[in-house]
Amino acid sequence: MSTNNRTTVAEALAARQSLENIFIQGWIRTKRDSKGFSFLEINDGSCLKNLQVIVDQKVPGYKQVQELGTGASVSVSGRHVESPGKGQNWELQADRVEVLGAADPETYPLQKKRHSDEFLRSIAQLRPRTNKYGAMARIRSELSFAFHHYFHEHGYYYIHSPVLTGLDCEGAGELFRVTCLDPDQYSADPQVMAEDFFGQPAYLTVSGQLTAEVMACSLGKVYTFGPTFRAENSNTPRHAAEFWMIEPEVAFADLGDIIDLAEDLIKSVIAGVRKNRQEDLDLFARFVDKELNRNLDNVLDNEFVRLPYEEAVAVLKEVRGKKKFEYPVDLGTDLQTEHERYLVEEHFQKPVVVYDYPTQIKPFYMRVNERGNTVAAMDVLLPRVGEVVGGSQREERLEVLQERMQDLGMRVEDYSWYLDLRRFGTVPHSGFGLGFERLLMFLTGVHNIRDVLPFPRTPKHLQF
Ligand code: 4AD
Ligand code: MG
């Protein structure tokens, strides 16, 4: 049901029989005039396709229609009839047209040609009115729903972790500060901080994990799905300062359990969007990435390779000579995107889960493995986008965790509440973070994270 009595274009096009007299509202995509008639292609965002509207010269409003062009908004009532034209089953024979808002054809930025992604980014206020970005917005919505659906079906509770925090979960120092002090007052001096809103330094969260752990250690299986913020000054096609993360956290689960979960979850949400948003996805398969369907099948049809970090490094060292990496590969250092992509796209040619990373490159909360030099961490790598998921088994042993925090120079007293989970009824537990935009990039074949977010926030860009 729509909120007024308007029929959506999607409903009009999907009808099995005539809906008789209907009323639609939308934006003109194109207009053609022929003798005594005008043909309008109307889009209202409900689906990719437009509804053809035929306006006879006798129809009230015809004169105004003739002055309209692309981008104008209209209300049309008329008869929903079978279309003799090719490529559509239904059309609308108008018996009344009302202009809601004209759009000056001289200055309307969306002309009937293909615009570059860069240009469209500069007009984010109109970008969703194009086929590609309308489809992107609908797929984004569908993918969100697919995540909620999966967790709901599997007995997880949706929890809300705070956006304002005093802690740096990842310990990488990529925090945005939040303050109410005047810029010229602000300083890290504790006496000044005491005057600030929270009486201590405050930040936008980089991850909801620590509070998700609290909830998992009471409720069993939970997930968050919210915005996260990172002041990484890396101007890459895969990093945004504000992005959305899905973070399941599971009590009584070990690393293998959440690798299974990540694989099943990714396959399930991709299949779900494919089922419900076929038409929109086809646009991306035709115009954005010709390999898209092959890549999606590859993920759906293959078991993900599970590869210890040490073996990943061995594989990458082997290829030296055959291929030149920009960054060196060495035991103890993190894998770069080029290394991840080599493993997935060339060596294995399917998704890869790398696990058991060196302790020294990972955050404090990851469970230390028996030999001490590695932690029970895992990253899921997909073709083209590289890392989509990062997660771990959490350190549930109080002494080991405290020692690790001290070694890292952390203020253990700030985490007393977190350590209580280990003091009182500690349990093995594990979780991960899935980068929503990274998965959306993979799903649509879009290369730049700026084109999967409606209003991307990246270094030096805070427009809209
Ligand atoms: O690997 P990350 O940093 O993991 C965590 O934050 C954990 N605390 C999550 C957890 O265990 N609950 O981030 C998780 C994922 C990455 O794999 C990547 O897909 C995405 O978040 N990500 C970004 N996506 C877009 N822009 C950025 N700047 C991103 N940084 C991370
Ligand atoms: Mg990571």
Side-chain angles (χ1 to χ4, degrees), residues 321-345:
K322 279 187 261 167
K323 187 184 163 82
K324 254 211 139 32
F325 290 125
E326 193 181 330
Y327 294 90
V329 193
D330 262 313
L331 272 183
T333 62
D334 211 354
L335 303 181
Q336 300 296 322
T337 305
E338 56 174 347
H339 307 137
E340 296 173 346
R341 291 189 58 174
Y342 175 83
L343 290 172
V344 178
E345 289 167 26

mmCIF file with all atom_site columns, all heavy atoms in Angstrom, residues 321-345:
data_model
loop_
_atom_site.group_PDB
_atom_site.id
_atom_site.type_symbol
_atom_site.label_atom_id
_atom_site.label_alt_id
_atom_site.label_comp_id
_atom_site.label_asym_id
_atom_site.label_entity_id
_atom_site.label_seq_id
_atom_site.pdbx_PDB_ins_code
_atom_site.Cartn_x
_atom_site.Cartn_y
_atom_site.Cartn_z
_atom_site.occupancy
_atom_site.B_iso_or_equiv
_atom_site.pdbx_formal_charge
_atom_site.auth_seq_id
_atom_site.auth_comp_id
_atom_site.auth_asym_id
_atom_site.auth_atom_id
_atom_site.pdbx_PDB_model_num
ATOM 1   N N   . GLY A 1 321 ? 59.277 -12.696 -8.208  1.00 0.00 ? 321 GLY A N   1
ATOM 2   C CA  . GLY A 1 321 ? 59.952 -13.004 -9.475  1.00 0.00 ? 321 GLY A CA  1
ATOM 3   C C   . GLY A 1 321 ? 58.933 -13.065 -10.579 1.00 0.00 ? 321 GLY A C   1
ATOM 4   O O   . GLY A 1 321 ? 59.013 -12.342 -11.553 1.00 0.00 ? 321 GLY A O   1
ATOM 5   N N   . LYS A 1 322 ? 57.875 -13.905 -10.361 1.00 0.00 ? 322 LYS A N   1
ATOM 6   C CA  . LYS A 1 322 ? 56.826 -14.010 -11.383 1.00 0.00 ? 322 LYS A CA  1
ATOM 7   C C   . LYS A 1 322 ? 56.021 -12.718 -11.430 1.00 0.00 ? 322 LYS A C   1
ATOM 8   O O   . LYS A 1 322 ? 55.517 -12.320 -12.461 1.00 0.00 ? 322 LYS A O   1
ATOM 9   C CB  . LYS A 1 322 ? 55.883 -15.182 -11.066 1.00 0.00 ? 322 LYS A CB  1
ATOM 10  C CG  . LYS A 1 322 ? 56.434 -16.536 -11.510 1.00 0.00 ? 322 LYS A CG  1
ATOM 11  C CD  . LYS A 1 322 ? 55.403 -17.630 -11.324 1.00 0.00 ? 322 LYS A CD  1
ATOM 12  C CE  . LYS A 1 322 ? 55.657 -18.408 -10.045 1.00 0.00 ? 322 LYS A CE  1
ATOM 13  N NZ  . LYS A 1 322 ? 54.557 -19.272 -9.653  1.00 0.00 ? 322 LYS A NZ  1
ATOM 14  N N   . LYS A 1 323 ? 55.890 -12.098 -10.266 1.00 0.00 ? 323 LYS A N   1
ATOM 15  C CA  . LYS A 1 323 ? 55.028 -10.921 -10.182 1.00 0.00 ? 323 LYS A CA  1
ATOM 16  C C   . LYS A 1 323 ? 55.663 -9.959  -9.207  1.00 0.00 ? 323 LYS A C   1
ATOM 17  O O   . LYS A 1 323 ? 56.245 -10.373 -8.207  1.00 0.00 ? 323 LYS A O   1
ATOM 18  C CB  . LYS A 1 323 ? 53.662 -11.384 -9.650  1.00 0.00 ? 323 LYS A CB  1
ATOM 19  C CG  . LYS A 1 323 ? 52.598 -10.321 -9.671  1.00 0.00 ? 323 LYS A CG  1
ATOM 20  C CD  . LYS A 1 323 ? 51.329 -10.872 -9.035  1.00 0.00 ? 323 LYS A CD  1
ATOM 21  C CE  . LYS A 1 323 ? 50.424 -9.732  -8.676  1.00 0.00 ? 323 LYS A CE  1
ATOM 22  N NZ  . LYS A 1 323 ? 49.627 -9.224  -9.763  1.00 0.00 ? 323 LYS A NZ  1
ATOM 23  N N   . LYS A 1 324 ? 55.570 -8.685  -9.486  1.00 0.00 ? 324 LYS A N   1
ATOM 24  C CA  . LYS A 1 324 ? 56.175 -7.721  -8.564  1.00 0.00 ? 324 LYS A CA  1
ATOM 25  C C   . LYS A 1 324 ? 55.097 -7.082  -7.694  1.00 0.00 ? 324 LYS A C   1
ATOM 26  O O   . LYS A 1 324 ? 54.170 -6.480  -8.195  1.00 0.00 ? 324 LYS A O   1
ATOM 27  C CB  . LYS A 1 324 ? 56.923 -6.647  -9.360  1.00 0.00 ? 324 LYS A CB  1
ATOM 28  C CG  . LYS A 1 324 ? 58.418 -6.819  -9.270  1.00 0.00 ? 324 LYS A CG  1
ATOM 29  C CD  . LYS A 1 324 ? 59.151 -5.480  -9.364  1.00 0.00 ? 324 LYS A CD  1
ATOM 30  C CE  . LYS A 1 324 ? 60.334 -5.293  -8.437  1.00 0.00 ? 324 LYS A CE  1
ATOM 31  N NZ  . LYS A 1 324 ? 61.107 -6.443  -8.086  1.00 0.00 ? 324 LYS A NZ  1
ATOM 32  N N   . PHE A 1 325 ? 55.225 -7.264  -6.380  1.00 0.00 ? 325 PHE A N   1
ATOM 33  C CA  . PHE A 1 325 ? 54.325 -6.570  -5.463  1.00 0.00 ? 325 PHE A CA  1
ATOM 34  C C   . PHE A 1 325 ? 54.961 -5.239  -5.098  1.00 0.00 ? 325 PHE A C   1
ATOM 35  O O   . PHE A 1 325 ? 56.181 -5.130  -4.990  1.00 0.00 ? 325 PHE A O   1
ATOM 36  C CB  . PHE A 1 325 ? 54.118 -7.392  -4.188  1.00 0.00 ? 325 PHE A CB  1
ATOM 37  C CG  . PHE A 1 325 ? 53.302 -8.641  -4.385  1.00 0.00 ? 325 PHE A CG  1
ATOM 38  C CD1 . PHE A 1 325 ? 53.802 -9.874  -3.997  1.00 0.00 ? 325 PHE A CD1 1
ATOM 39  C CD2 . PHE A 1 325 ? 52.038 -8.574  -4.957  1.00 0.00 ? 325 PHE A CD2 1
ATOM 40  C CE1 . PHE A 1 325 ? 53.045 -11.032 -4.148  1.00 0.00 ? 325 PHE A CE1 1
ATOM 41  C CE2 . PHE A 1 325 ? 51.288 -9.724  -5.120  1.00 0.00 ? 325 PHE A CE2 1
ATOM 42  C CZ  . PHE A 1 325 ? 51.787 -10.942 -4.722  1.00 0.00 ? 325 PHE A CZ  1
ATOM 43  N N   . GLU A 1 326 ? 54.102 -4.270  -4.858  1.00 0.00 ? 326 GLU A N   1
ATOM 44  C CA  . GLU A 1 326 ? 54.614 -2.966  -4.450  1.00 0.00 ? 326 GLU A CA  1
ATOM 45  C C   . GLU A 1 326 ? 55.185 -3.053  -3.026  1.00 0.00 ? 326 GLU A C   1
ATOM 46  O O   . GLU A 1 326 ? 56.209 -2.477  -2.718  1.00 0.00 ? 326 GLU A O   1
ATOM 47  C CB  . GLU A 1 326 ? 53.469 -1.955  -4.508  1.00 0.00 ? 326 GLU A CB  1
ATOM 48  C CG  . GLU A 1 326 ? 53.918 -0.515  -4.417  1.00 0.00 ? 326 GLU A CG  1
ATOM 49  C CD  . GLU A 1 326 ? 52.723 0.442   -4.448  1.00 0.00 ? 326 GLU A CD  1
ATOM 50  O OE1 . GLU A 1 326 ? 51.683 0.105   -5.089  1.00 0.00 ? 326 GLU A OE1 1
ATOM 51  O OE2 . GLU A 1 326 ? 52.820 1.506   -3.812  1.00 0.00 ? 326 GLU A OE2 1
ATOM 52  N N   . TYR A 1 327 ? 54.473 -3.802  -2.146  1.00 0.00 ? 327 TYR A N   1
ATOM 53  C CA  . TYR A 1 327 ? 54.909 -3.933  -0.752  1.00 0.00 ? 327 TYR A CA  1
ATOM 54  C C   . TYR A 1 327 ? 55.545 -5.293  -0.534  1.00 0.00 ? 327 TYR A C   1
ATOM 55  O O   . TYR A 1 327 ? 55.072 -6.290  -1.092  1.00 0.00 ? 327 TYR A O   1
ATOM 56  C CB  . TYR A 1 327 ? 53.713 -3.789  0.202   1.00 0.00 ? 327 TYR A CB  1
ATOM 57  C CG  . TYR A 1 327 ? 53.100 -2.424  0.183   1.00 0.00 ? 327 TYR A CG  1
ATOM 58  C CD1 . TYR A 1 327 ? 52.073 -2.119  -0.705  1.00 0.00 ? 327 TYR A CD1 1
ATOM 59  C CD2 . TYR A 1 327 ? 53.561 -1.427  1.052   1.00 0.00 ? 327 TYR A CD2 1
ATOM 60  C CE1 . TYR A 1 327 ? 51.500 -0.847  -0.726  1.00 0.00 ? 327 TYR A CE1 1
ATOM 61  C CE2 . TYR A 1 327 ? 52.991 -0.158  1.040   1.00 0.00 ? 327 TYR A CE2 1
ATOM 62  C CZ  . TYR A 1 327 ? 51.960 0.131   0.144   1.00 0.00 ? 327 TYR A CZ  1
ATOM 63  O OH  . TYR A 1 327 ? 51.405 1.377   0.119   1.00 0.00 ? 327 TYR A OH  1
ATOM 64  N N   . PRO A 1 328 ? 56.595 -5.360  0.285   1.00 0.00 ? 328 PRO A N   1
ATOM 65  C CA  . PRO A 1 328 ? 57.228 -6.656  0.552   1.00 0.00 ? 328 PRO A CA  1
ATOM 66  C C   . PRO A 1 328 ? 56.316 -7.559  1.386   1.00 0.00 ? 328 PRO A C   1
ATOM 67  O O   . PRO A 1 328 ? 55.457 -7.077  2.119   1.00 0.00 ? 328 PRO A O   1
ATOM 68  C CB  . PRO A 1 328 ? 58.479 -6.275  1.354   1.00 0.00 ? 328 PRO A CB  1
ATOM 69  C CG  . PRO A 1 328 ? 58.199 -4.930  1.924   1.00 0.00 ? 328 PRO A CG  1
ATOM 70  C CD  . PRO A 1 328 ? 57.244 -4.249  0.997   1.00 0.00 ? 328 PRO A CD  1
ATOM 71  N N   . VAL A 1 329 ? 56.502 -8.869  1.244   1.00 0.00 ? 329 VAL A N   1
ATOM 72  C CA  . VAL A 1 329 ? 55.756 -9.826  2.059   1.00 0.00 ? 329 VAL A CA  1
ATOM 73  C C   . VAL A 1 329 ? 56.739 -10.450 3.023   1.00 0.00 ? 329 VAL A C   1
ATOM 74  O O   . VAL A 1 329 ? 57.751 -11.001 2.602   1.00 0.00 ? 329 VAL A O   1
ATOM 75  C CB  . VAL A 1 329 ? 55.199 -10.981 1.191   1.00 0.00 ? 329 VAL A CB  1
ATOM 76  C CG1 . VAL A 1 329 ? 54.184 -11.786 1.972   1.00 0.00 ? 329 VAL A CG1 1
ATOM 77  C CG2 . VAL A 1 329 ? 54.643 -10.473 -0.110  1.00 0.00 ? 329 VAL A CG2 1
ATOM 78  N N   . ASP A 1 330 ? 56.449 -10.364 4.291   1.00 0.00 ? 330 ASP A N   1
ATOM 79  C CA  . ASP A 1 330 ? 57.321 -10.986 5.282   1.00 0.00 ? 330 ASP A CA  1
ATOM 80  C C   . ASP A 1 330 ? 56.527 -11.484 6.455   1.00 0.00 ? 330 ASP A C   1
ATOM 81  O O   . ASP A 1 330 ? 55.560 -10.840 6.862   1.00 0.00 ? 330 ASP A O   1
ATOM 82  C CB  . ASP A 1 330 ? 58.374 -9.968  5.765   1.00 0.00 ? 330 ASP A CB  1
ATOM 83  C CG  . ASP A 1 330 ? 59.685 -10.153 5.034   1.00 0.00 ? 330 ASP A CG  1
ATOM 84  O OD1 . ASP A 1 330 ? 60.126 -11.315 4.921   1.00 0.00 ? 330 ASP A OD1 1
ATOM 85  O OD2 . ASP A 1 330 ? 60.249 -9.133  4.574   1.00 0.00 ? 330 ASP A OD2 1
ATOM 86  N N   . LEU A 1 331 ? 56.946 -12.602 7.010   1.00 0.00 ? 331 LEU A N   1
ATOM 87  C CA  . LEU A 1 331 ? 56.292 -13.112 8.216   1.00 0.00 ? 331 LEU A CA  1
ATOM 88  C C   . LEU A 1 331 ? 56.283 -12.007 9.265   1.00 0.00 ? 331 LEU A C   1
ATOM 89  O O   . LEU A 1 331 ? 57.301 -11.361 9.484   1.00 0.00 ? 331 LEU A O   1
ATOM 90  C CB  . LEU A 1 331 ? 57.064 -14.314 8.751   1.00 0.00 ? 331 LEU A CB  1
ATOM 91  C CG  . LEU A 1 331 ? 56.679 -15.688 8.202   1.00 0.00 ? 331 LEU A CG  1
ATOM 92  C CD1 . LEU A 1 331 ? 57.497 -16.774 8.893   1.00 0.00 ? 331 LEU A CD1 1
ATOM 93  C CD2 . LEU A 1 331 ? 55.183 -15.967 8.376   1.00 0.00 ? 331 LEU A CD2 1
ATOM 94  N N   . GLY A 1 332 ? 55.142 -11.783 9.863   1.00 0.00 ? 332 GLY A N   1
ATOM 95  C CA  . GLY A 1 332 ? 55.067 -10.768 10.920  1.00 0.00 ? 332 GLY A CA  1
ATOM 96  C C   . GLY A 1 332 ? 54.522 -9.443  10.440  1.00 0.00 ? 332 GLY A C   1
ATOM 97  O O   . GLY A 1 332 ? 54.194 -8.578  11.242  1.00 0.00 ? 332 GLY A O   1
ATOM 98  N N   . THR A 1 333 ? 54.393 -9.247  9.125   1.00 0.00 ? 333 THR A N   1
ATOM 99  C CA  . THR A 1 333 ? 53.799 -7.996  8.649   1.00 0.00 ? 333 THR A CA  1
ATOM 100 C C   . THR A 1 333 ? 52.403 -8.277  8.095   1.00 0.00 ? 333 THR A C   1
ATOM 101 O O   . THR A 1 333 ? 52.083 -9.411  7.732   1.00 0.00 ? 333 THR A O   1
ATOM 102 C CB  . THR A 1 333 ? 54.641 -7.342  7.532   1.00 0.00 ? 333 THR A CB  1
ATOM 103 O OG1 . THR A 1 333 ? 54.685 -8.242  6.422   1.00 0.00 ? 333 THR A OG1 1
ATOM 104 C CG2 . THR A 1 333 ? 56.042 -7.029  7.997   1.00 0.00 ? 333 THR A CG2 1
ATOM 105 N N   . ASP A 1 334 ? 51.608 -7.213  8.027   1.00 0.00 ? 334 ASP A N   1
ATOM 106 C CA  . ASP A 1 334 ? 50.224 -7.381  7.573   1.00 0.00 ? 334 ASP A CA  1
ATOM 107 C C   . ASP A 1 334 ? 50.195 -7.551  6.057   1.00 0.00 ? 334 ASP A C   1
ATOM 108 O O   . ASP A 1 334 ? 51.081 -7.078  5.350   1.00 0.00 ? 334 ASP A O   1
ATOM 109 C CB  . ASP A 1 334 ? 49.404 -6.150  7.981   1.00 0.00 ? 334 ASP A CB  1
ATOM 110 C CG  . ASP A 1 334 ? 47.946 -6.523  8.255   1.00 0.00 ? 334 ASP A CG  1
ATOM 111 O OD1 . ASP A 1 334 ? 47.570 -7.692  8.011   1.00 0.00 ? 334 ASP A OD1 1
ATOM 112 O OD2 . ASP A 1 334 ? 47.194 -5.646  8.712   1.00 0.00 ? 334 ASP A OD2 1
ATOM 113 N N   . LEU A 1 335 ? 49.147 -8.240  5.574   1.00 0.00 ? 335 LEU A N   1
ATOM 114 C CA  . LEU A 1 335 ? 48.989 -8.387  4.128   1.00 0.00 ? 335 LEU A CA  1
ATOM 115 C C   . LEU A 1 335 ? 48.397 -7.100  3.566   1.00 0.00 ? 335 LEU A C   1
ATOM 116 O O   . LEU A 1 335 ? 47.517 -6.497  4.165   1.00 0.00 ? 335 LEU A O   1
ATOM 117 C CB  . LEU A 1 335 ? 48.051 -9.558  3.806   1.00 0.00 ? 335 LEU A CB  1
ATOM 118 C CG  . LEU A 1 335 ? 48.463 -10.919 4.363   1.00 0.00 ? 335 LEU A CG  1
ATOM 119 C CD1 . LEU A 1 335 ? 47.459 -11.987 3.933   1.00 0.00 ? 335 LEU A CD1 1
ATOM 120 C CD2 . LEU A 1 335 ? 49.874 -11.309 3.914   1.00 0.00 ? 335 LEU A CD2 1
ATOM 121 N N   . GLN A 1 336 ? 48.873 -6.686  2.423   1.00 0.00 ? 336 GLN A N   1
ATOM 122 C CA  . GLN A 1 336 ? 48.339 -5.507  1.744   1.00 0.00 ? 336 GLN A CA  1
ATOM 123 C C   . GLN A 1 336 ? 47.259 -5.959  0.756   1.00 0.00 ? 336 GLN A C   1
ATOM 124 O O   . GLN A 1 336 ? 47.190 -7.132  0.388   1.00 0.00 ? 336 GLN A O   1
ATOM 125 C CB  . GLN A 1 336 ? 49.464 -4.788  0.985   1.00 0.00 ? 336 GLN A CB  1
ATOM 126 C CG  . GLN A 1 336 ? 50.601 -4.320  1.874   1.00 0.00 ? 336 GLN A CG  1
ATOM 127 C CD  . GLN A 1 336 ? 50.153 -3.276  2.888   1.00 0.00 ? 336 GLN A CD  1
ATOM 128 O OE1 . GLN A 1 336 ? 49.328 -2.420  2.577   1.00 0.00 ? 336 GLN A OE1 1
ATOM 129 N NE2 . GLN A 1 336 ? 50.679 -3.364  4.102   1.00 0.00 ? 336 GLN A NE2 1
ATOM 130 N N   . THR A 1 337 ? 46.468 -5.000  0.306   1.00 0.00 ? 337 THR A N   1
ATOM 131 C CA  . THR A 1 337 ? 45.394 -5.316  -0.644  1.00 0.00 ? 337 THR A CA  1
ATOM 132 C C   . THR A 1 337 ? 45.912 -6.099  -1.857  1.00 0.00 ? 337 THR A C   1
ATOM 133 O O   . THR A 1 337 ? 45.289 -7.055  -2.312  1.00 0.00 ? 337 THR A O   1
ATOM 134 C CB  . THR A 1 337 ? 44.728 -4.021  -1.136  1.00 0.00 ? 337 THR A CB  1
ATOM 135 O OG1 . THR A 1 337 ? 44.303 -3.309  0.019   1.00 0.00 ? 337 THR A OG1 1
ATOM 136 C CG2 . THR A 1 337 ? 43.516 -4.312  -1.997  1.00 0.00 ? 337 THR A CG2 1
ATOM 137 N N   . GLU A 1 338 ? 47.050 -5.702  -2.395  1.00 0.00 ? 338 GLU A N   1
ATOM 138 C CA  . GLU A 1 338 ? 47.574 -6.398  -3.578  1.00 0.00 ? 338 GLU A CA  1
ATOM 139 C C   . GLU A 1 338 ? 47.860 -7.879  -3.257  1.00 0.00 ? 338 GLU A C   1
ATOM 140 O O   . GLU A 1 338 ? 47.666 -8.748  -4.105  1.00 0.00 ? 338 GLU A O   1
ATOM 141 C CB  . GLU A 1 338 ? 48.841 -5.703  -4.088  1.00 0.00 ? 338 GLU A CB  1
ATOM 142 C CG  . GLU A 1 338 ? 49.916 -5.580  -3.019  1.00 0.00 ? 338 GLU A CG  1
ATOM 143 C CD  . GLU A 1 338 ? 51.236 -5.025  -3.550  1.00 0.00 ? 338 GLU A CD  1
ATOM 144 O OE1 . GLU A 1 338 ? 51.417 -4.966  -4.779  1.00 0.00 ? 338 GLU A OE1 1
ATOM 145 O OE2 . GLU A 1 338 ? 52.090 -4.665  -2.715  1.00 0.00 ? 338 GLU A OE2 1
ATOM 146 N N   . HIS A 1 339 ? 48.314 -8.152  -2.036  1.00 0.00 ? 339 HIS A N   1
ATOM 147 C CA  . HIS A 1 339 ? 48.587 -9.547  -1.660  1.00 0.00 ? 339 HIS A CA  1
ATOM 148 C C   . HIS A 1 339 ? 47.276 -10.326 -1.528  1.00 0.00 ? 339 HIS A C   1
ATOM 149 O O   . HIS A 1 339 ? 47.161 -11.451 -1.998  1.00 0.00 ? 339 HIS A O   1
ATOM 150 C CB  . HIS A 1 339 ? 49.342 -9.615  -0.330  1.00 0.00 ? 339 HIS A CB  1
ATOM 151 C CG  . HIS A 1 339 ? 50.582 -8.771  -0.311  1.00 0.00 ? 339 HIS A CG  1
ATOM 152 N ND1 . HIS A 1 339 ? 50.936 -7.990  0.759   1.00 0.00 ? 339 HIS A ND1 1
ATOM 153 C CD2 . HIS A 1 339 ? 51.538 -8.576  -1.251  1.00 0.00 ? 339 HIS A CD2 1
ATOM 154 C CE1 . HIS A 1 339 ? 52.066 -7.349  0.485   1.00 0.00 ? 339 HIS A CE1 1
ATOM 155 N NE2 . HIS A 1 339 ? 52.449 -7.688  -0.729  1.00 0.00 ? 339 HIS A NE2 1
ATOM 156 N N   . GLU A 1 340 ? 46.304 -9.672  -0.862  1.00 0.00 ? 340 GLU A N   1
ATOM 157 C CA  . GLU A 1 340 ? 45.005 -10.334 -0.672  1.00 0.00 ? 340 GLU A CA  1
ATOM 158 C C   . GLU A 1 340 ? 44.392 -10.651 -2.028  1.00 0.00 ? 340 GLU A C   1
ATOM 159 O O   . GLU A 1 340 ? 43.873 -11.746 -2.264  1.00 0.00 ? 340 GLU A O   1
ATOM 160 C CB  . GLU A 1 340 ? 44.069 -9.403  0.120   1.00 0.00 ? 340 GLU A CB  1
ATOM 161 C CG  . GLU A 1 340 ? 44.580 -9.117  1.531   1.00 0.00 ? 340 GLU A CG  1
ATOM 162 C CD  . GLU A 1 340 ? 43.767 -8.048  2.287   1.00 0.00 ? 340 GLU A CD  1
ATOM 163 O OE1 . GLU A 1 340 ? 42.967 -7.322  1.667   1.00 0.00 ? 340 GLU A OE1 1
ATOM 164 O OE2 . GLU A 1 340 ? 43.955 -7.945  3.497   1.00 0.00 ? 340 GLU A OE2 1
ATOM 165 N N   . ARG A 1 341 ? 44.457 -9.693  -2.922  1.00 0.00 ? 341 ARG A N   1
ATOM 166 C CA  . ARG A 1 341 ? 43.835 -9.902  -4.243  1.00 0.00 ? 341 ARG A CA  1
ATOM 167 C C   . ARG A 1 341 ? 44.571 -10.974 -5.032  1.00 0.00 ? 341 ARG A C   1
ATOM 168 O O   . ARG A 1 341 ? 43.951 -11.743 -5.768  1.00 0.00 ? 341 ARG A O   1
ATOM 169 C CB  . ARG A 1 341 ? 43.785 -8.584  -5.008  1.00 0.00 ? 341 ARG A CB  1
ATOM 170 C CG  . ARG A 1 341 ? 42.794 -7.623  -4.365  1.00 0.00 ? 341 ARG A CG  1
ATOM 171 C CD  . ARG A 1 341 ? 42.535 -6.395  -5.199  1.00 0.00 ? 341 ARG A CD  1
ATOM 172 N NE  . ARG A 1 341 ? 42.024 -6.735  -6.528  1.00 0.00 ? 341 ARG A NE  1
ATOM 173 C CZ  . ARG A 1 341 ? 41.614 -5.828  -7.417  1.00 0.00 ? 341 ARG A CZ  1
ATOM 174 N NH1 . ARG A 1 341 ? 41.659 -4.557  -7.108  1.00 0.00 ? 341 ARG A NH1 1
ATOM 175 N NH2 . ARG A 1 341 ? 41.157 -6.200  -8.589  1.00 0.00 ? 341 ARG A NH2 1
ATOM 176 N N   . TYR A 1 342 ? 45.872 -11.048 -4.874  1.00 0.00 ? 342 TYR A N   1
ATOM 177 C CA  . TYR A 1 342 ? 46.599 -12.106 -5.577  1.00 0.00 ? 342 TYR A CA  1
ATOM 178 C C   . TYR A 1 342 ? 46.121 -13.481 -5.108  1.00 0.00 ? 342 TYR A C   1
ATOM 179 O O   . TYR A 1 342 ? 45.860 -14.379 -5.916  1.00 0.00 ? 342 TYR A O   1
ATOM 180 C CB  . TYR A 1 342 ? 48.115 -11.968 -5.357  1.00 0.00 ? 342 TYR A CB  1
ATOM 181 C CG  . TYR A 1 342 ? 48.855 -13.135 -5.990  1.00 0.00 ? 342 TYR A CG  1
ATOM 182 C CD1 . TYR A 1 342 ? 49.164 -13.128 -7.350  1.00 0.00 ? 342 TYR A CD1 1
ATOM 183 C CD2 . TYR A 1 342 ? 49.187 -14.267 -5.234  1.00 0.00 ? 342 TYR A CD2 1
ATOM 184 C CE1 . TYR A 1 342 ? 49.784 -14.215 -7.940  1.00 0.00 ? 342 TYR A CE1 1
ATOM 185 C CE2 . TYR A 1 342 ? 49.806 -15.355 -5.823  1.00 0.00 ? 342 TYR A CE2 1
ATOM 186 C CZ  . TYR A 1 342 ? 50.107 -15.327 -7.173  1.00 0.00 ? 342 TYR A CZ  1
ATOM 187 O OH  . TYR A 1 342 ? 50.701 -16.413 -7.755  1.00 0.00 ? 342 TYR A OH  1
ATOM 188 N N   . LEU A 1 343 ? 46.012 -13.637 -3.785  1.00 0.00 ? 343 LEU A N   1
ATOM 189 C CA  . LEU A 1 343 ? 45.585 -14.938 -3.235  1.00 0.00 ? 343 LEU A CA  1
ATOM 190 C C   . LEU A 1 343 ? 44.214 -15.337 -3.788  1.00 0.00 ? 343 LEU A C   1
ATOM 191 O O   . LEU A 1 343 ? 43.995 -16.467 -4.211  1.00 0.00 ? 343 LEU A O   1
ATOM 192 C CB  . LEU A 1 343 ? 45.493 -14.866 -1.704  1.00 0.00 ? 343 LEU A CB  1
ATOM 193 C CG  . LEU A 1 343 ? 46.808 -14.750 -0.933  1.00 0.00 ? 343 LEU A CG  1
ATOM 194 C CD1 . LEU A 1 343 ? 46.525 -14.496 0.548   1.00 0.00 ? 343 LEU A CD1 1
ATOM 195 C CD2 . LEU A 1 343 ? 47.652 -16.008 -1.105  1.00 0.00 ? 343 LEU A CD2 1
ATOM 196 N N   . VAL A 1 344 ? 43.298 -14.388 -3.791  1.00 0.00 ? 344 VAL A N   1
ATOM 197 C CA  . VAL A 1 344 ? 41.913 -14.690 -4.146  1.00 0.00 ? 344 VAL A CA  1
ATOM 198 C C   . VAL A 1 344 ? 41.712 -14.785 -5.651  1.00 0.00 ? 344 VAL A C   1
ATOM 199 O O   . VAL A 1 344 ? 41.071 -15.702 -6.154  1.00 0.00 ? 344 VAL A O   1
ATOM 200 C CB  . VAL A 1 344 ? 40.982 -13.577 -3.592  1.00 0.00 ? 344 VAL A CB  1
ATOM 201 C CG1 . VAL A 1 344 ? 39.546 -13.833 -3.973  1.00 0.00 ? 344 VAL A CG1 1
ATOM 202 C CG2 . VAL A 1 344 ? 41.109 -13.515 -2.079  1.00 0.00 ? 344 VAL A CG2 1
ATOM 203 N N   . GLU A 1 345 ? 42.286 -13.816 -6.370  1.00 0.00 ? 345 GLU A N   1
ATOM 204 C CA  . GLU A 1 345 ? 41.970 -13.723 -7.806  1.00 0.00 ? 345 GLU A CA  1
ATOM 205 C C   . GLU A 1 345 ? 42.864 -14.599 -8.656  1.00 0.00 ? 345 GLU A C   1
ATOM 206 O O   . GLU A 1 345 ? 42.430 -15.140 -9.669  1.00 0.00 ? 345 GLU A O   1
ATOM 207 C CB  . GLU A 1 345 ? 42.092 -12.266 -8.271  1.00 0.00 ? 345 GLU A CB  1
ATOM 208 C CG  . GLU A 1 345 ? 40.968 -11.408 -7.707  1.00 0.00 ? 345 GLU A CG  1
ATOM 209 C CD  . GLU A 1 345 ? 41.221 -9.922  -7.867  1.00 0.00 ? 345 GLU A CD  1
ATOM 210 O OE1 . GLU A 1 345 ? 41.958 -9.518  -8.787  1.00 0.00 ? 345 GLU A OE1 1
ATOM 211 O OE2 . GLU A 1 345 ? 40.681 -9.158  -7.048  1.00 0.00 ? 345 GLU A OE2 1
#
